[in-house]
């Protein structure tokens, strides 16, 4: 009894009982003395807050210790440079949560995935709500918190239903009665911790296990097999007491591995499979499933029940570690008789010696967080996982430019410019009498140079505005196609913001880029046409004067020559004008096309600056977060 009491009441840690406050990190001393204060202990590790994760380069820390200046960037998950040097921001000589001086290091792919998740959360703060990013933030916090603690310890929780024999198995592994067993249910009211090696105080503080519930195993020849193991006996997960279930749920999210204890009666319990095993199917590599109480089964019934248990686990999606493959370890034993305990002890011993359970647990948590974030980063209409068309096609851009050009009337402006060029050619190369008549008409209704641009009616302005709005909605929908809902919404909002004031800007373009300054340019053949038209006019004048001179008797009567001169001038003038008009068609058409092009390019440039560029910025931001998300999943970036 004395030996048991000594083992039960005190756990030596570097010459001091682990339960004393001086062995616990600052902020955990108060929680360790109270079994009902796990929340305080957990809070001391620094709770992730959406507002504390900033964009890349801000230097903002992910958790409380990092905010105190513990390192930056990828160093958030790297071990301290020297075990003797306290982390930055910790007073010299102050107790640290890593009392063993050896911390968990996340290297290689896991470290890259953690860095990618931290970057991903920072880039997503302004697009996703904090509830969506909460689980990712929790994973970052727990990874950083676990990294600061002992890396040579493996924390394993024993969980199970009422009457499954958890406490009996706990005692059998410890070699001494530590956890109370009996017919009273529930027996285990609070989590109990048992450490096979010194230096686990920080880990137990993180779990919120007070000093009075910390134990050491019975020292014996098998003690070294489980060196580095920290075993936690949890209350029943199906307990009628809500506080017990809360302990289970909280600690299951913090330990490195779990031993699920089932019995022949409740191994198919729906609560166990639906609430715990199935949601944690991705944690198979850090999961043990033990069929206890096989001594109660006759004959080969134990093998049949074990096979059925494996079938249920397979239906839950839990990979089984058979034939050397990674996965959950499934064993059958009797904690009461000791049958199979040695096999479990050997499996646990090998598991703890590898010292990779903490990293595997964090990796599984990353997988679960990535699956939870799948709908907001990769699942979009018309996209496949990790492969979806992102951005605007060239056809969509051209269609947007065409719609804006249609809204500003680029085609009509080009036609007006073409008519103006022809009209100017007619004025320069027409007969003097027609030009005199046009001058008279111009005096009656004076107009400016170029071509007339009338004031648009209210209906035309409303139609143009509707066309612009429709063009913006169309290009926004095209850009958002294939994106997850939050990012598609961000693209549409960027397009809508850019469209504010776009109709007015396009109207201003119509008055500036749509109307050329001065008269249309003249081709080189115009002077020849004008000279020919002047010659035709001179023939008409000479012929007319000659006829008048003959009538008054000044000239010798000869009607043939003056009439011929007049007819040549009368017929030649319109012919010159008609020839000039035919020759002006090509230049007029090119002049109109050039005016249409200028207005079209001006409208497209305005739309690009106000709508397409903001949309492209959002698409670029999504490409960046998608690449980070792919890195979080551990896949190669395509």
């Amino acid at each position: 009894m004395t030996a048991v009491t000594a083992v039960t009441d005190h756990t030596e840690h570097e010459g001091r009982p682990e339960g004393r406050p001086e062995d616990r990190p600052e902020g955990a001393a108060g929680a360790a003395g109270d079994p009902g204060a796990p929340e305080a202990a957990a809070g001391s590790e620094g709770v992730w807050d959406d507002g504390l994760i900033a964009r890349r380069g801000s230097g903002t820390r992910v958790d409380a210790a990092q905010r105190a200046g513990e390192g930056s960037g990828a160093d958030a998950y790297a071990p301290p440079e020297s075990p003797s040097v306290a982390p930055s921001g910790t007073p010299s000589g102050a107790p640290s949560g890593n009392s063993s001086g050896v911390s968990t290091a996340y290297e290689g792919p896991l470290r890259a995935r953690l860095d990618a998740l931290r970057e991903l959360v920072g880039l997503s703060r302004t697009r996703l709500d904090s509830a969506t990013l909460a689980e990712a933030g929790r994973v970052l916090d727990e990874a950083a918190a676990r990294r600061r603690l002992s890396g040579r310890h493996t924390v394993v929780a024993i969980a199970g239903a009422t009457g499954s024999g958890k406490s009996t198995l706990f005692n059998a592994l410890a070699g001494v009665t530590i956890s109370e067993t009996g017919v009273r249910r529930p027996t285990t009211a609070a989590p109990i911790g048992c450490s096979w090696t010194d230096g686990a105080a920080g880990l137990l503080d993180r779990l919120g296990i007070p000093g009075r519930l910390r134990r050491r195993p019975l020292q014996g020849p098998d003690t070294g097999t489980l060196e580095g193991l920290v075993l936690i006996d949890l209350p029943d997960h199906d307990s009628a007491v809500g506080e017990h279930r809360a302990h289970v749920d909280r600690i299951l999210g913090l330990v490195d591995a779990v031993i699920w204890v089932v019995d022949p009666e409740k191994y198919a319990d729906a609560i166990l499979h639906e609430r715990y095993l199935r949601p944690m199917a991705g944690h198979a590599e850090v999961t043990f499933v033990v069929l206890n109480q096989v001594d109660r089964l006759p004959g080969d019934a134990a093998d049949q029940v074990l096979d059925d248990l494996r079938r249920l686990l397979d239906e839950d999606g839990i990979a089984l570690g058979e034939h050397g493959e990674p996965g959950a370890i499934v064993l059958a034993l009797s904690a009461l008789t000791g049958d199979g305990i040695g096999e479990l002890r050997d499996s646990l011993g090998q598991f703890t010696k590898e010292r990779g359970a903490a990293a595997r647990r964090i990796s599984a948590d990353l997988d679960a967080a990535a699956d939870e974030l799948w709908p907001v980063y990769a699942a979009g209409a018309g996209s496949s996982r990790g492969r979806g068309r992102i951005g605007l096609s060239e056809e969509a851009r051209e269609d947007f430019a065409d719609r804006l050009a249609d809204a500003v009337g680029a085609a009509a402006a080009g036609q007006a410019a073409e008519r103006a060029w022809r009209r100017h050619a007619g004025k320069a190369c027409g007969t003097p009498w027609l030009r005199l008549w046009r001058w008279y008409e111009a005096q009656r209704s004076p107009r400016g140079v170029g071509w007339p641009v009338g004031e648009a009616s209210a209906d035309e302005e409303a139609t143009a505005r509707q066309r612009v709005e429709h063009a913006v909605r169309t290009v926004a929908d095209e850009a958002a196609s294939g994106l997850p809902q939050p990012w598609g919404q961000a693209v549409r909002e960027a397009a809508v913001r850019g469209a504010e004031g776009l109709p007015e800007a396009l109207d201003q373009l119509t008055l500036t880029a749509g109307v050329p300054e001065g008269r249309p340019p003249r081709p080189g053949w115009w002077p020849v046409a004008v000279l020919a038209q002047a010659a035709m006019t001179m023939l008409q004048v000479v012929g007319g004067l000659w006829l008048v001179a003959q009538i008054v008797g000044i000239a010798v009567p000869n009607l043939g020559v003056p009439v011929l001169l007049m007819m040549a001038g009368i017929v030649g003038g319109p012919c010159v004008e008609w020839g000039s008009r035919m020759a002006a068609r090509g230049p007029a058409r090119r002049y109109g096309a050039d005016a249409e092009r200028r207005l079209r390019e001006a409208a497209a440039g305005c739309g690009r600056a106000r709508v397409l560029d903001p949309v492209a910025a959002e698409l670029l931001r999504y490409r960046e977060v998608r690449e980070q998300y792919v890195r979080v999943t551990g896949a190669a970036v395509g």
Side-chain angles (χ1 to χ4, degrees):
M1 182 68 179
T2 304
V4 172
T5 303
V7 171
T8 304
D9 291 344
H10 295 87
T11 300
E12 294 298 325
H13 168 57
E14 297 181 2
R16 298 191 300 273
E18 281 190 20
R20 295 182 182 179
E22 57 266 25
D23 289 333
R24 296 187 292 274
E26 292 184 71
D34 182 7
E39 293 79 10
S44 66
E45 298 296 340
V47 179
W48 174 82
D49 183 88
D50 181 47
L52 296 177
I53 298 182
R55 291 202 58 182
R56 176 173 53 193
S58 64
T60 308
R61 308 276 40 97
V62 173
D63 60 287
Q66 289 170 305
R67 292 194 295 271
E70 187 180 342
S72 61
D75 294 337
Y77 310 106
E81 293 182 0
S82 172
S84 62
V85 180
S88 176
T90 303
S92 177
S96 170
N98 179 19
S99 55
S100 68
V102 180
S103 63
T104 303
Y106 304 140
E107 298 296 342
L110 178 57
R111 179 172 175 176
R113 294 178 66 191
L114 287 168
D115 291 339
L117 181 60
R118 182 169 57 86
E119 183 79 0
L120 178 68
V121 173
L123 291 171
S124 305
R125 288 179 57 245
T126 58
R127 296 295 177 266
L128 304 177
D129 57 82
S130 58
T132 303
L133 299 173
E135 178 60 20
R138 187 197 68 81
V139 172
L140 289 172
D141 280 345
E142 297 307 333
R146 183 65 181 91
R147 195 276 306 171
R148 293 193 300 270
L149 300 174
S150 173
R152 61 189 182 93
H153 288 82
T154 301
V155 184
V156 181
I158 298 182
T162 303
S164 60
K166 297 184 290 73
S167 299
T168 304
L169 178 60
F170 183 81
N171 295 334
L173 290 173
V176 64
T177 301
I178 294 177
S179 186
E180 181 184 356
T181 62
V183 296
R184 180 174 59 87
R185 298 289 183 264
T187 303
T188 306
I192 300 174
C194 181
S195 174
W196 268 253
T197 311
D198 292 337
L203 293 168
L204 294 172
D205 286 337
R206 179 170 176 251
L207 300 179
I209 298 178
R212 60 185 178 82
L213 295 178
R214 303 181 185 185
R215 306 289 187 266
R216 292 297 296 272
L218 183 66
Q219 300 298 316
D222 295 335
T223 304
T225 304
L226 300 180
E227 181 180 358
L229 176 65
V230 179
L231 198 61
I232 310 297
D233 185 20
L234 297 179
D236 303 329
H237 71 74
D238 59 350
S239 173
V241 182
E243 183 181 358
H244 296 180
R245 298 193 302 272
H247 280 309
V248 174
D249 294 342
R250 178 179 58 84
I251 293 181
L252 285 179
L254 300 176
V255 295
D256 301 330
V258 182
I259 300 176
W260 287 101
V261 182
V262 298
D263 60 77
E265 295 179 356
K266 294 184 179 180
Y267 72 92
D269 182 42
I271 296 179
L272 171 64
H273 289 270
E274 294 177 4
R275 184 175 179 182
Y276 294 103
L277 294 180
R278 196 167 300 159
M280 298 195 68
H283 295 69
E285 292 189 49
V286 290
T287 300
F288 293 76
V289 181
V290 173
L291 176 62
N292 193 17
Q293 303 176 9
V294 294
D295 56 300
R296 297 167 50 191
L297 299 174
D300 59 352
D303 293 336
Q304 295 177 4
V305 173
L306 188 62
D307 290 341
D308 194 47
L309 175 59
R310 292 176 183 273
R311 177 187 62 82
L312 293 175
L313 294 176
D314 184 67
E315 292 178 356
D316 291 334
I318 298 179
L320 303 181
E322 299 176 328
H323 311 293
E325 297 177 354
I329 298 177
V330 183
L331 300 173
L333 54 80
S334 173
L336 186 62
T337 64
D339 184 25
I341 294 295
E343 184 180 0
L344 176 61
R345 181 179 286 110
D346 292 340
S347 297
L348 279 175
Q350 181 64 29
F351 189 74
T352 55
K353 286 179 182 178
E354 294 174 356
R355 296 186 180 180
R360 277 183 277 178
R361 170 59 194 262
I362 294 300
S363 180
D365 287 344
L366 278 172
D367 292 337
D371 288 341
E372 184 176 329
L373 293 174
W374 157 255
V376 297
Y377 286 114
S383 67
S384 59
R385 182 161 188 156
R387 295 181 182 274
R389 179 188 56 76
I390 301 175
L392 287 171
S393 62
E394 194 62 31
E395 293 78 8
R397 295 175 179 272
E398 292 178 357
D399 180 68
F400 179 65
D402 291 340
R403 291 175 183 273
L404 293 184
D406 184 52
V408 298
Q415 294 172 2
E418 181 180 352
R419 289 193 300 268
W421 205 96
R422 289 182 178 181
R423 185 167 53 249
H424 190 46
K427 289 181 179 179
C429 304
T431 62
W433 324 117
L434 184 59
R435 294 174 61 185
L436 183 61
W437 172 256
R438 288 173 178 170
W439 175 82
Y440 173 73
E441 290 292 331
Q443 295 301 314
R444 294 179 56 187
S445 55
R447 297 178 181 180
V449 296
W451 63 87
V453 179
E455 294 293 332
S457 65
D459 291 341
E460 291 176 345
E461 290 182 355
T463 302
R465 181 177 294 272
Q466 291 173 358
R467 289 175 178 174
V468 172
E469 293 174 353
H470 180 65
V472 172
R473 285 196 304 269
T474 301
V475 76
D477 291 341
E478 176 70 17
S481 176
L483 298 183
Q485 191 277 331
W487 303 98
Q489 183 64 26
V491 166
R492 291 186 178 91
E493 291 176 355
V496 170
R497 287 194 301 269
E500 295 177 358
L502 181 59
E504 291 76 10
L506 293 176
D507 290 341
Q508 186 64 30
L509 283 179
T510 305
L511 299 177
T512 55
V515 179
E517 297 181 358
R519 295 179 179 274
R522 295 182 178 184
W525 52 265
W526 276 24
V528 177
V530 172
L531 182 61
Q533 192 67 261
M536 295 301 104
T537 304
M538 289 298 298
L539 289 176
Q540 296 178 49
V541 172
V542 170
L545 292 176
W546 196 343
L547 286 176
V548 171
Q550 291 182 20
I551 294 173
V552 298
I554 300 177
V556 177
N558 185 2
L559 296 177
V561 177
V563 170
L564 184 61
L565 291 176
M566 288 185 63
M567 290 302 296
I570 292 173
V571 174
C575 289
V576 172
E577 183 176 0
W578 178 82
S580 299
R581 290 195 180 194
M582 292 299 102
R585 283 186 176 183
R589 190 178 299 111
R590 290 191 294 271
Y591 183 71
D594 185 62
E596 179 180 356
R597 179 187 55 79
R598 288 198 305 271
L599 185 55
R600 184 181 291 272
E601 290 178 352
C606 184
R608 181 172 57 253
R610 289 176 174 266
V611 177
L612 294 185
D613 287 350
V615 166
E618 288 296 333
L619 292 173
L620 182 62
R621 185 186 184 96
Y622 173 70
R623 287 192 185 95
E624 188 174 358
V625 299
R626 193 180 71 158
E627 289 178 0
Q628 295 299 334
Y629 175 77
V630 173
R631 291 189 176 97
V632 171
T633 63
V637 180

